[in-house]
Amino acid sequence: GLPHVVDDKLHNAVALLDNGEAALFSFFEMYAVTHAVFYLTDFGFVRPQTYASDDDVARVRTAIARGLGIACREHHLDLLGEYLVCWSALDMPAGDPIRSSAAAMLIANQLPDGAVPAFAKRRAHDNRTDVSARFRHWLECYHTTLVCALAARRLGDARD
């Protein structure tokens, strides 16, 4: 990856989920955590211990577990996919029940065409015969589908 230095961004982002009040933070703030982990680990190609202490990595892992639990509870598939990428990038255990539930939720919500909508409760439009319906479907599924594909690639077989 590109050379970079760790600054306060990761610590500030993790503090959002590390203070015991993670459920009070916005999805925007929760995305800040995932993007900090993406940056720090180069999507899992750089071990986090390269730039952070073991204690800091443990704190980040705890924050990721909390965030993944919140994304599952809220049926927020896009955020859930990003947290699964972080889970893998931080070498967190594959057999963990939170991770397994999250992967199962993504699989259960994948549409017949392979796309994944951003929210499980608001499934993408099934009527894709006109241009506007197809465009809405693309808007609702594009980013989440890419994130879920990356998560599946990083995690291997997400059904375990």
Side-chain angles (χ1 to χ4, degrees):
L2 297 173
H4 54 75
V5 296
V6 176
D7 54 22
D8 291 334
K9 289 180 184 175
L10 178 64
H11 293 285
N12 292 341
V14 170
L16 297 173
L17 294 177
D18 195 34
N19 67 3
E21 298 179 18
L24 301 177
F25 290 95
S26 72
F27 289 130
F28 176 79
E29 292 164 323
M30 292 180 69
Y31 275 108
V33 174
T34 65
H35 288 233
V37 171
F38 295 165
Y39 176 77
L40 178 67
T41 66
D42 197 13
F43 289 90
F45 290 102
V46 175
R47 295 189 49 79
Q49 291 85 349
T50 304
Y51 301 105
S53 70
D54 287 342
D55 288 344
D56 285 341
V57 173
R59 287 181 56 232
V60 173
R61 287 178 174 149
T62 298
I64 294 303
R66 288 179 181 163
L68 186 60
I70 291 167
C72 283
R73 183 190 69 217
E74 297 298 320
H75 303 276
H76 194 308
L77 301 177
D78 190 72
L79 193 58
L80 191 148
E82 290 209 10
Y83 273 83
L84 283 174
V85 173
C86 291
W87 192 282
S88 172
L90 294 170
D91 298 320
M92 295 172 70
D96 188 281
I98 295 171
R99 183 244 186 225
S100 297
S101 294
M105 184 178 288
L106 288 180
I107 292 167
N109 284 282
Q110 186 175 23
L111 301 175
D113 65 3
V116 181
F119 293 92
K121 293 179 180 178
R122 189 180 70 223
R123 301 216 22 136
H125 300 280
D126 290 328
N127 178 9
R128 292 186 282 277
T129 57
D130 65 76
V131 173
S132 62
R134 288 194 311 264
F135 183 67
R136 279 193 313 272
H137 176 70
W138 180 83
L139 282 176
E140 291 179 8
C141 298
Y142 176 75
H143 183 265
T144 305
T145 302
L146 290 178
V147 167
C148 291
L150 179 59
R153 177 67 179 107
R154 293 283 315 151
L155 295 171
D157 186 356
R159 290 170 285 181
D160 65 347

